Amino acid sequence: MIQYFRAKGMRVKLIHLAETHKQKVQDGKVLQDLETLLSNKSGLQAFRVFLRSEFSEENLEFWMACEDYRVSPSNMQRSKATSIYRQFISSDAPLEVNLDAETREALLSVMDSPCADTFNKAQQRIYSLMAVDSFPRFLRSHH
């Protein structure tokens, strides 16, 4: 009889583990790296909800704005660059991201003549920050 309850308990644990794993699989891909997560619509949405719950959604919003900026037509780049700078980079930005002074100064110096790769270095820094900080917490969360 005791073995029955142990077996049943083990089965419940295995079912729970399988369900947890299934939740982290989206469209046949295991969301084990940030790049996969960001390229997956439902994964991206779950990550956004998680970041919002931690009041740290600005990094993802900045990354997404940079992705949009990169593919923008050149006649739109100046206005989009200014918007990104005001929203995420400037010292009084409403969604200020955590960038070092050197990166901020480099961005400020090119804001008069932005190009497609203007935000690449800053975007990479924020991506790295999400990869080592937010993403592992996301994987451990219930989201």
Side-chain angles (χ1 to χ4, degrees), residues 18-68:
E19 287 174 0
T20 301
H21 177 70
K22 186 189 288 184
Q23 290 172 351
K24 292 184 180 177
V25 174
Q26 303 290 330
D27 299 335
K29 292 183 179 176
V30 177
L31 299 178
Q32 59 192 7
D33 63 66
L34 184 56
E35 186 175 341
T36 303
L37 178 91
L38 295 175
S39 66
N40 180 285
K41 187 176 180 177
S42 56
L44 179 64
Q45 181 61 28
F47 191 46
R48 175 181 271 148
V49 168
F50 168 74
L51 291 173
R52 191 173 297 142
S53 75
E54 291 202 333
F55 304 100
S56 61
E57 189 178 11
E58 68 279 354
N59 287 339
L60 180 60
E61 294 298 325
F62 173 73
W63 184 87
M64 291 172 56
C66 291
E67 287 294 293
D68 177 60

Side-chain angles (χ1 to χ4, degrees), residues 74-93:
S74 57
N75 65 333
M76 300 280 298
Q77 285 180 343
R78 189 178 194 133
S79 64
K80 285 190 175 197
T82 301
S83 176
I84 290 170
Y85 188 86
R86 287 183 182 155
Q87 190 171 11
F88 301 103
I89 310 296
S90 74
S91 59
D92 61 345

Side-chain angles (χ1 to χ4, degrees), residues 92-112:
D92 61 345
L95 297 172
E96 186 179 2
V97 292
N98 186 9
L99 291 172
D100 58 275
E102 180 183 330
T103 303
R104 285 179 191 279
E105 290 169 15
L107 283 171
L108 183 57
S109 71
V110 297
M111 289 310 296
D112 288 334

